[in-house]
Amino acid sequence: MAQMYFYYSAMNAGKSTTLLQSSFNYQERGMTPVIFTAAIDDRFGVGKVSSRIGLEEDAHLFQQDTDLLEVITALNREQKRHCVLVDECQFLTRQQVYQLTEVVDKLGIPVLCYGLRTDFLGELFEGSQYLLSWADKLVELKTICHCGRKANMVIRTDEQGQAISEGDQVDIGGNDRYVSVCRQHYKEALGR
Ligand SMILES: [Zn+2]
């Protein structure tokens, strides 16, 4: 039985590295994975998943209005696909998460999604909300705060390194940085 997996974490926990490792494992066994990433993330050029340790693979891009069931059905007709890997899955819409459940349930292809659980305000992303609700398997990828505790929150800082407590959920093309911290240091950074 194919299943849907949600691998979630704060920033810099090696999500893309884990995704690329899975892709490699499938290919090593002669199987064909297909990779998607959000069109919103153009840090490394269009249509690529790159990890901080230097691995890289081409990826299909999804926009807010991409019908993932339709796209994956067409790709699978062209050539049998054994696995769907989705990076930056926090940017999926509710409808797209549903389409991915159909990929699992109707096409019988496993779907592995990798992304953030919450934004810099501690709120769930839309994609993460429905992946937490509907995925078969939830897997936390851990990273640590500067104090050594598990980091489960993300701070957005401005150019001076000051934590920001308001703004859009997605910062496109800004100079802001993101730091993963434990909940206690998140509260301290925001002066709570
Ligand atoms: Zn801490």
Side-chain angles (χ1 to χ4, degrees):
M1 280 285 282
Q3 292 195 317
M4 177 185 255
Y5 297 79
F6 179 27
Y7 293 88
Y8 65 91
S9 72
M11 297 289 286
N12 302 328
K15 286 186 293 294
S16 300
T17 306
T18 309
L19 182 154
L20 293 169
Q21 180 67 52
S22 283
S23 172
F24 179 81
N25 293 346
Y26 273 92
Q27 291 175 65
E28 199 179 32
R29 291 175 224 143
M31 298 196 266
T32 309
V34 56
I35 302 175
F36 286 87
T37 191
I40 217 162
D41 180 21
D42 57 359
R43 276 178 301 175
F44 305 105
V46 170
K48 284 204 184 302
V49 171
S50 303
S51 72
R52 291 177 303 143
I53 60 168
L55 304 170
E56 182 176 280
E57 269 203 70
D58 289 342
H60 296 266
L61 293 174
F62 66 85
Q63 321 265 355
Q64 292 256 300
D65 60 355
T66 305
D67 185 330
L68 288 168
L69 178 59
E70 194 178 290
V71 172
I72 294 163
T73 301
L75 288 169
N76 190 50
R77 206 172 285 141
E78 225 168 69
Q79 183 190 359
K80 172 68 189 155
R81 309 291 168 147
H82 298 90
C83 172
V84 174
L85 301 160
V86 183
D87 202 18
E88 306 290 355
C89 64
Q90 70 271 15
F91 296 128
L92 294 166
T93 63
R94 177 185 190 276
Q95 201 176 1
Q96 287 172 325
V97 176
Y98 187 81
Q99 289 159 3
L100 291 172
T101 68
E102 293 280 86
V103 169
V104 174
D105 298 337
K106 292 208 168 132
L107 304 181
I109 304 173
V111 174
L112 285 63
C113 296
Y114 299 79
L116 300 174
R117 182 170 57 168
T118 56
D119 64 18
F120 72 106
L121 297 174
E123 303 289 337
L124 288 172
F125 284 92
E126 182 176 343
S128 311
Q129 179 183 344
Y130 292 102
L131 284 161
L132 286 169
S133 304
W134 299 338
D136 298 292
K137 294 263 163 64
L138 304 175
V139 184
E140 183 173 28
L141 300 174
K142 294 188 179 69
T143 187
I144 54 167
C145 179
H146 56 80
C147 70
R149 274 194 289 257
K150 188 176 83 169
N152 48 11
M153 308 295 286
V154 175
I155 296 175
R156 181 192 284 177
T157 65
D158 60 21
E159 284 166 70
Q160 284 74 45
Q162 291 298 310
I164 297 170
S165 58
E166 54 189 27
D168 294 336
Q169 188 171 52
V170 183
D171 170 52
I172 303 164
N175 293 315
D176 294 348
R177 290 182 60 249
Y178 295 88
V179 185
S180 292
V181 291
C182 69
R183 191 173 53 232
Q184 187 178 331
H185 283 117
Y186 176 83
K187 288 176 182 171
E188 278 177 24
L190 270 70
R192 288 176 187 167

